[in-house]
Amino acid sequence: MTRLRVVPAALAAGATIGVALPFLPLFQPNSWLRVTVLLVLIVGVAGVGMRRVSRSAAIVVAGQLVIGLVAILLLLLRSTLWYALPTVDTVTTVTAAVPAFVRSVTEQAAPVAATAPVILVLAVVFVLLAVSVDALAVTKRMPGAAGIPLLTAYVAAASNSTEGLAFTYFLIPAAAWVALLAHEGTSRLVRWGAVIARPRGGQVRNPAPGILTWARGVALIAIAAAVVLPGVLPHLPPRFIADGLARGDRGGNGVGSSLQDTLAVAQHLGDRSTQPVLRYETDDPNPPPMRVDVLNQYSDGVWRPTSGQLFDTGGELPATDASEAIARRTPTTRVTDNRMAAPQLPLPGTPLTIDVAADRLRVDANGMVKRVGEMDSYAVNYELVEPSQAQLRAADPRGSDRADDLAIDAMSADYVSAILDQVAPADLDAAEQAWRIQAWLRSARFTYSLDLATPVAFDDTGRAVPLDPLSQFLATRRGYCVQFATAMVMMARHRGIPARVAIGFLPGTLNGREWTVRSADAHAWPELYFPSIGWVRFEPTPGTHTGQAPGWTIDAAPTTGPSATTSAPSTSATAEASDSAAPAPTTSEEPGLAGVIADVGGWLRATWIPSTTILLVAISVLITPLLGSIRRRRALRRARDDAERTEVLWQSLLDRLDDIEVRAGPGETPRQARDTLTRSAYLDGASTAALDTVVATLERARYAAPGADLPDVTADSELVAKTARSRRRLTMRIRAWLWPLEGRRAWGEMWKSVDRRGR
Amino acid sequence: MARRSGLLTQRGSAFLASGVVLLVAGMALGQRDLTRIGILVLALLLVCRTLARTGAPVLEVARVATPARMGVDETARISLSLHNVGQRRTALAVGEEILDPSLGDRPRFTIPPIGLGQFSEVEYSVRPHVRGAHPLGPLRVWTRDPFGITSAASIVEGTGSILVTPRIHPLTTGRALGRGVGTEGSIPHQVALHGEDDQSIRGYREGDDLRRIHWPATARMGELMVRQEDRPARRRAVILLDARESGHSGHGATSSFEWFVTMAASVMAHTADLGYAVHLLTPDLTNDAGVRNDESVDAMLETLARIRTGPDDGFRAVLHAAHGFTGSGGLLVALTTGLDDGATRALSSLRQHGSTAIGMVHAPRRGEESSARLAGRTIATLGSAGWLTAEVSGFEPPARVWSELTGASLVGVQR
């Protein structure tokens, strides 16, 4: 049994299967997992069998590899075999599988369809992983090293899932790996000698169960810490550092964020960065989102801008489309700290004036105001139209010639129009349809989630049929602002309303008078065009993430989300997949000191329970030395005569020496104790003399006739303690200071008195 | 209690490094999964490090060997008892008894936790290949956690010892050693040995030799008293062992000195078996006289077990002391290295006429010409003085050397 090592082999297989599980969301459908688990188990059993045959690790590993590969042949490539022998067909299938796998992985966003080549490659990878884990952890008895292949696989899965893995995926491999460590360590301890010491008069007991219980406790603490702490610790935004480095290579503008100017609808959302991108003050009590750009070209699930061309209009800003009849506000916003990279310029509403040099402003084909060069701070006076519902109803955008803003997506056209017939019948007026579409999207039918749902449609063979991203969203009703905005834009276009996607930032967090916009406040929303009103912002993304929808976009407020403050975490308008070249909004500049302080403050607020706990523990540790000193002083005060005082000082000296692991033997007389202490504390001349004095005084206190002259030995005992401490390592001195025996005794006495009183 | 060395094992250090890297990388890259793994590793390390007892286990160790004295290649069981005299229960530990390599492999054992003031026992056996007083212990103890992250080594002071007596080869003697050319009676000195200690006094009976009258006792008692004479005569054998470092060659168990010790033990056992009163004279620096005289078999074995080579002037005292034992004749066995002329004369004069003296002189097989020449001269001088001599290199089987020496045993005739 010991040589076969069945238990560690099972644990190794469990750990390998555990790191295969996080790949489940990446490869769908999950039929590949069954094969993989089976293969991992086969490799494990093969290891047990091979260890029975041979002691040589090389032979065991070779045997496992051969058995694993044969199992792959039989399970996955049976159709290509000729009486269990590989044929040319087998070879071509295998060689074709690798490029097919690479193509699937690079071209498809997660989840990748688990086709036959994908399953084959996954099977080979996990067989190799299982063999290496088993070889290291079981055959070579190096479970610590087996953590490396496990870690590699786990990190591979983690780096490909945008939001990180759920901690549940972490539990199985972590528990299995820690169990491997404990099992190997325990068997090493027990195997150390063939002999186990037995208690006097008792029987030899196997210490393994005792240690394993201990190990289980330690493992539980460690795993619990690993589950809880990552949520509490402050993390930089993903790829903060990596992007910061990469940007230097591009030689571009070293400062500032930029918002990705394409949006992929099918991607999971990655960036949850809390880096500030913008700070501003405004006299607008209810500031609108800051718009950065608009996108109106949609194809293959990606939104793109019309063109990147900028026009120099000599500082002239595009005129408002709104007629005089429309109610409007004209607040002013002063941006104090703009970290966006040029040419993007976050602006609220329709800008009227911007207090910067005219030659630095540009306008693009969509009428968006852009800039050249640095623009750290600027004030913008803008117009915010607030059309009444009647005015919206009156404006009929249908029949518009804005072809770009009316193009519909052919892939999802059938799906969208089918839904649209139920949601917003064609005979309603345009405003009514827009209201209904928004209300439907904001209804409880839809779930806001940064992770997109897995595909739902399958063909006859059980393979997933990837829907186009918009249909996928409408079918699964799960997504974030990009999907909601896309759905609303497409549905509006189907009904002949010109529509486009605006990207920018939610108003951010109000702190005093200053609003702070962070990367995570990035947002996307639809804008619908109504003649004589202009582009009107709608808000189909549900509830708490975006705040209330604008008043004019609500028919009779049937299904609005709860009114929420804009300080709630909000969605990001951008997303990125691992292979996406364009980065999400990030900041390469180091955050300022104020930003760091604000971050720390925010972090403390967010984690006040753990922080308080840590603080309490720290305080209780720190007061231990104090308690010890109080206890000593009280004992000295309560001593009735010099003899008792000398006893107290002696006991205190012994305790303090005990802290630095200098101990007199049990039952030693003061003189014997003196000799032991002098020797083991490496006392020098002066301190030896001091200890002599202390002991002589103690002897007189104990044995001389009452009333003998007893000098005060406080200084002497202090000298002894100090000299003995100075002979010790720093760590021990610190420990002795932080956690002294006298303090521990004080804690114990307090506990006892509480305990007594409690009874 | 020796201070323990570093607490983290190689695995612990690796975990610390990788955990910190993972944690920092995870936080810097915003990858919570990396942070999670880093925290798992670090938490494991931290908990183990915290729980690893900071103080070494405070143990008292006692060893009982059965038997306490043993011959080479015999087995003794050592019972080791551990007493927890510390202030807390000990953690699970593994121990290794530090033994001389000649006692065999160092015994290793697992020590389950020992409660406060409790005892724990473990037994192991040793099978020594070399004679001597071998120390047992001290005990080295490692406290380890089951994850193999920390390991604290400490040494539990306190040693025991076992005494391993030299190997005794059965010797055979060609003829009775005490017998000279004539009958036993004709060598009275050899037979009727009356050491000072052996005396007792009895009343005069007719026929007693007048020379045996003990005059002081007679005066005190008022009647004639004689020294006791009718005890069974005991033959005496004196064994001299030369333990001078300079004369011997070789190291360890195969050195010529070990051969001498084995030979001395064998001769001692053999002559004791034959009924001799055996005296073993060995140099002893701890003694004022510089010589040690043992007469009981046990004491002689112990002396031979403990003896070590010493300085050059050690043998002079032995020669000097030997006069007192050989003056009245008896078997003399000298195990020496090459001696200078003065010492050789002193040695050769120890043999009394009519008694047997056997000299085994070590001549190194290889080595300096001078010591070989010295050995040759010593042998020649002893031989001419009527000794039975043999030159030994330290590799011969003792039994053969002895039987060759004594098989042709003829007093006064050189082989």
Side-chain angles (χ1 to χ4, degrees):
Chain A
M1 261 324 251
T2 49
R3 204 173 112 203
L4 303 184
R5 280 169 251 152
V6 176
V7 175
L11 290 172
T16 312
I17 293 170
V19 294
L21 294 180
F23 286 90
L24 266 181
L26 301 180
F27 296 96
Q28 288 284 346
N30 55 19
S31 53
W32 64 271
L33 187 68
R34 281 198 299 276
V35 180
T36 304
V37 167
L38 185 60
L39 284 169
V40 170
L41 292 178
I42 287 173
V43 168
V45 172
V48 172
M50 289 306 294
R51 278 190 290 277
R52 190 185 177 80
V53 175
S54 168
R55 278 181 186 280
S56 155
I59 293 179
V60 172
V61 171
Q64 282 177 296
L65 275 179
V66 169
I67 293 171
L69 294 179
V70 167
I72 290 178
L73 283 181
L74 292 177
L75 284 173
L76 295 176
L77 298 167
R78 187 158 352 143
S79 58
T80 68
L81 297 183
W82 178 75
Y83 293 110
L85 284 177
T87 58
V88 178
D89 204 11
T90 315
V91 178
T92 50
T93 311
V94 172
T95 47
V98 176
F101 175 81
V102 171
R103 217 177 311 120
S104 300
V105 170
T106 49
E107 289 178 2
Q108 296 179 37
V112 171
T115 53
V118 171
I119 294 176
L120 180 61
V121 171
L122 283 177
V124 172
V125 166
F126 278 102
V127 162
L128 293 180
L129 182 70
V131 170
S132 59
V133 169
D134 191 84
L136 285 171
V138 190
T139 309
K140 299 287 276 179
R141 295 183 198 261
M142 298 193 296
I148 295 170
L150 291 173
L151 173 77
T152 311
Y154 186 79
V155 169
S159 65
N160 282 307
S161 59
T162 45
E163 259 192 295
L165 296 173
F167 74 88
T168 41
Y169 285 128
F170 170 77
L171 291 180
I172 294 177
W177 180 65
V178 173
L180 265 178
L181 281 179
H183 191 275
E184 191 265 352
T186 307
S187 73
R188 185 161 287 200
L189 276 176
V190 175
R191 270 189 298 113
W192 167 257
V195 190
I196 296 171
R198 60 171 196 282
R200 177 169 285 180
Q203 290 296 311
V204 172
R205 261 174 300 170
N206 184 3
I211 322 170
L212 280 178
T213 310
W214 192 90
R216 260 195 294 277
V218 173
L220 271 182
I221 295 174
I223 291 178
V227 167
V228 173
L229 286 182
V232 178
L233 289 175
H235 280 68
L236 289 177
R239 304 181 191 201
F240 172 67
I241 287 183
D243 275 349
L245 296 176
R247 189 164 289 130
D249 287 344
R250 276 188 240 136
N253 192 345
V255 177
S257 304
S258 64
L259 208 52
Q260 194 178 332
D261 59 0
T262 57
L263 284 182
V265 177
Q267 282 173 353
H268 296 288
L269 188 62
D271 187 7
R272 305 289 296 143
S273 161
T274 55
Q275 285 307 306
V277 283
L278 204 60
R279 290 178 210 279
Y280 62 90
E281 290 174 6
T282 180
D283 56 5
D284 190 342
N286 186 16
M290 301 284 253
R291 187 168 55 193
V292 172
D293 208 346
V294 293
L295 313 172
N296 53 4
Q297 307 271 327
Y298 181 79
S299 61
D300 296 333
V302 178
W303 282 101
R304 294 186 179 83
T306 322
S307 77
Q309 204 180 351
L310 300 179
F311 304 98
D312 188 348
T313 58
E316 193 179 326
L317 301 179
T320 173
D321 290 339
S323 65
E324 293 298 323
I326 310 295
R328 67 194 70 194
R329 290 186 285 135
T330 53
T332 303
T333 289
R334 172 163 294 281
V335 176
T336 52
D337 185 9
N338 172 28
R339 300 189 187 180
M340 297 291 291
Q344 291 181 339
L345 185 63
L347 292 170
T350 311
L352 299 175
T353 56
I354 303 176
D355 70 337
V356 293
D359 60 338
R360 299 183 50 196
L361 293 177
R362 297 287 184 276
V363 177
D364 74 358
N366 284 321
M368 289 295 104
V369 179
K370 300 288 177 72
R371 54 143 169 167
V372 288
E374 288 308 300
M375 208 175 280
D376 285 348
S377 62
Y378 52 90
V380 53
N381 178 247
Y382 59 94
E383 180 189 78
L384 209 57
V385 293
E386 290 177 334
S388 68
Q389 293 183 0
Q391 286 166 333
L392 275 178
R393 279 181 199 277
D396 189 355
R398 280 173 285 198
S400 162
D401 58 351
R402 294 176 172 271
D404 272 355
D405 298 324
L406 282 167
I408 58 172
D409 176 33
M411 284 167 80
S412 57
D414 296 346
Y415 211 97
V416 171
S417 49
I419 288 175
L420 207 49
D421 286 343
Q422 299 166 21
V423 174
D427 51 350
L428 296 174
D429 57 40
E432 182 71 34
Q433 283 175 338
W435 293 331
R436 289 203 179 191
I437 291 167
Q438 173 172 301
W440 182 69
L441 287 169
R442 286 181 77 101
S443 70
R445 295 179 191 92
F446 283 83
T447 310
Y448 180 88
S449 166
L450 297 184
D451 260 340
L452 300 183
T454 50
V456 284
F458 299 97
D459 65 9
D460 299 340
T461 59
R463 278 187 197 157
V465 179
L467 287 172
D468 73 280
L470 182 54
S471 309
Q472 159 84 7
F473 168 68
L474 291 172
T476 59
R477 296 180 176 176
R478 187 180 160 90
Y480 52 94
C481 58
V482 175
Q483 285 79 27
F484 283 99
T486 306
M488 175 131 192
V489 168
M490 277 303 149
M491 290 165 95
R493 287 183 180 183
H494 270 265
R495 284 289 180 253
I497 310 170
R500 62 187 188 183
V501 170
I503 55 174
F505 295 95
L506 288 170
T509 321
L510 182 60
N511 201 345
R513 294 185 53 205
E514 189 184 64
W515 293 82
T516 304
V517 177
R518 299 171 190 280
S519 292
D521 290 327
H523 188 45
W525 65 91
E527 290 185 337
L528 274 56
Y529 186 79
F530 289 87
S532 78
I533 297 174
W535 288 102
V536 175
R537 175 167 71 92
F538 278 74
E539 193 48 272
T541 308
T544 52
H545 305 287
T546 53
Q548 212 157 1
W552 61 87
T553 64
I554 304 160
D555 185 6
T559 48
T560 46
S563 113
T565 63
T566 46
S567 65
S570 57
T571 78
S572 168
T574 58
E576 54 190 356
S578 55
D579 55 351
S580 160
T586 49
T587 309
S588 65
E589 194 188 28
E590 289 298 319
L593 183 63
V596 170
I597 291 170
D599 282 355
V600 170
W603 175 70
L604 284 178
R605 267 197 303 283
T607 61
W608 69 271
I609 294 177
S611 314
T612 316
T613 315
I614 291 168
L615 200 67
L616 283 179
V617 170
I619 288 173
S620 56
V621 167
L622 283 177
I623 63 172
T624 309
L626 191 68
L627 281 179
S629 143
I630 292 173
R631 178 177 178 272
R632 179 168 67 238
R633 272 175 215 179
R634 201 166 59 176
L636 280 174
R637 224 178 21 248
R638 286 188 182 171
R640 280 166 303 195
D641 53 14
D642 284 347
E644 278 190 14
R645 232 182 318 279
T646 312
E647 280 296 342
V648 169
L649 285 172
W650 172 246
Q651 195 54 49
S652 157
L653 178 63
L654 287 182
D655 282 355
R656 273 184 285 167
L657 291 178
D658 188 275
D659 287 332
I660 51 169
E661 298 189 3
V662 174
R663 297 186 182 100
E668 282 187 346
T669 65
R671 281 183 197 206
Q672 287 167 336
R674 177 194 63 197
D675 295 342
T676 314
L677 296 179
T678 309
R679 201 172 52 248
S680 51
Y682 307 107
L683 297 183
D684 57 10
S687 53
T688 307
L691 184 59
D692 285 346
T693 315
V694 174
V695 170
T697 313
L698 178 73
E699 284 181 334
R700 262 209 303 289
R702 283 188 184 172
Y703 309 123
D709 174 39
L710 295 171
D712 184 11
V713 291
T714 315
D716 289 317
S717 59
E718 288 298 333
L719 176 65
V720 172
K722 195 171 150 228
T723 313
R725 267 201 301 273
S726 68
R727 300 279 190 273
R728 293 292 168 157
R729 281 174 308 164
L730 183 64
T731 47
M732 188 184 276
R733 295 215 298 267
I734 292 172
R735 199 177 59 222
W737 183 79
L738 278 179
W739 195 237
L741 183 58
E742 290 187 303
R744 287 186 336 250
R745 287 194 206 279
W747 278 117
E749 283 158 15
M750 272 163 65
W751 172 248
K752 262 185 208 147
S753 73
V754 168
D755 206 28
R756 242 195 329 272
R757 247 173 261 163
R759 263 180 222 155
Chain B
M1 193 75 51
R3 279 301 308 150
R4 46 193 34 210
S5 44
L7 210 52
L8 288 186
T9 59
Q10 217 172 2
R11 180 187 286 174
S13 313
F15 275 21
L16 179 63
S18 50
V20 168
V21 168
L22 283 170
L23 184 67
V24 170
M27 286 169 68
L29 298 176
Q31 297 287 350
R32 290 202 152 76
D33 301 288
L34 285 185
T35 317
R36 181 160 283 147
I37 299 165
I39 288 175
L40 172 72
V41 172
L42 287 182
L44 212 55
L45 184 94
L46 200 69
V47 177
C48 285
R49 175 70 178 74
T50 313
L51 292 183
R53 303 302 170 85
T54 45
V58 187
L59 294 173
E60 264 179 14
V61 62
R63 296 175 182 81
V64 177
T66 21
R69 209 172 85 169
M70 55 191 299
V72 169
D73 283 346
E74 289 171 19
T75 306
R77 287 203 68 73
I78 316 290
S79 166
L80 185 84
S81 91
L82 297 159
H83 182 197
N84 181 4
V85 293
Q87 297 180 346
R88 53 195 166 197
R89 189 179 163 84
T90 62
L92 178 100
V94 292
E96 183 184 68
E97 182 90 312
I98 299 174
L99 294 182
D100 191 88
S102 63
L103 290 182
D105 286 342
R106 292 179 170 184
R108 295 171 151 197
F109 34 84
T110 307
I111 307 170
I114 308 174
L116 271 186
Q118 299 290 303
F119 290 85
S120 201
E121 286 173 341
V122 68
E123 280 193 347
Y124 62 89
S125 53
V126 291
R127 193 180 155 88
H129 306 304
V130 178
R131 57 109 207 161
H134 296 291
L136 302 169
L139 180 67
R140 184 177 287 155
V141 173
W142 289 270
T143 319
R144 288 178 180 165
D145 65 82
F147 298 102
I149 290 173
T150 60
S151 172
S154 59
I155 290 203
V156 181
E157 298 291 353
T159 55
S161 76
I162 51 166
L163 191 68
V164 180
T165 56
R167 194 190 299 272
I168 293 173
H169 291 273
L171 303 180
T172 46
T173 303
R175 12 175 117 195
L177 292 164
R179 203 186 310 148
V181 276
T183 63
E184 190 140 345
S186 70
I187 332 168
H189 290 304
Q190 218 175 314
V191 182
L193 292 172
H194 295 271
E196 290 74 6
D197 300 338
D198 297 333
Q199 281 188 5
S200 70
I201 306 291
R202 62 169 171 79
Y204 177 79
R205 284 188 225 125
E206 209 162 294
D208 281 342
D209 192 340
L210 288 178
R211 286 177 296 181
R212 297 279 173 219
I213 292 174
H214 192 261
W215 293 110
T218 305
R220 205 180 312 125
M221 304 293 287
E223 56 178 306
L224 280 174
M225 304 297 282
V226 292
R227 290 198 293 267
Q228 171 81 342
E229 197 183 358
D230 57 354
R231 289 173 293 114
R234 290 197 66 194
R235 294 172 295 180
R236 169 181 280 183
V238 178
I239 302 168
L240 309 181
L241 182 58
D242 177 5
R244 291 178 306 155
E245 172 111 49
S246 58
H248 286 285
S249 60
H251 295 283
T254 56
S255 69
S256 62
F257 181 66
E258 289 301 319
W259 189 92
F260 267 36
V261 171
T262 306
M263 193 71 200
S266 304
V267 171
M268 184 271 297
H270 180 62
T271 50
D273 272 355
L274 292 178
Y276 284 80
V278 188
H279 298 262
L280 174 70
L281 298 182
T282 50
D284 182 6
L285 293 177
T286 61
N287 190 323
D288 279 347
V291 64
R292 181 183 177 90
N293 167 30
D294 293 291
E295 293 173 15
S296 74
V297 173
D298 278 352
M300 282 186 281
L301 274 177
E302 184 165 343
T303 301
L304 286 175
R306 293 183 190 277
I307 193 167
R308 294 190 188 168
T309 52
D312 276 357
D313 52 353
F315 196 53
R316 218 163 270 285
V318 173
L319 288 176
H320 184 75
H323 271 288
F325 295 96
T326 58
S328 46
L331 173 63
L332 178 62
V333 180
L335 298 155
T336 76
T337 60
L339 298 169
D340 60 34
D341 290 344
T344 311
R345 269 198 302 279
L347 178 61
S348 66
S349 70
L350 288 176
R351 173 180 174 264
Q352 301 298 316
H353 284 291
S355 63
T356 309
I358 295 173
M360 288 176 240
V361 183
H362 170 62
R365 255 188 199 172
R366 291 185 299 273
E368 304 142 47
E369 196 78 358
S370 60
S371 60
R373 216 169 34 239
L374 206 60
R377 280 230 299 282
T378 306
I379 289 173
T381 312
L382 290 180
S384 63
W387 288 58
L388 301 173
T389 55
E391 184 183 293
V392 292
S393 65
F395 293 96
E396 300 87 349
R400 207 180 71 209
V401 172
W402 182 256
S403 60
E404 280 177 3
L405 272 168
T406 60
S409 171
L410 280 172
V411 173
V413 177
Q414 196 184 355
R415 179 167 60 99

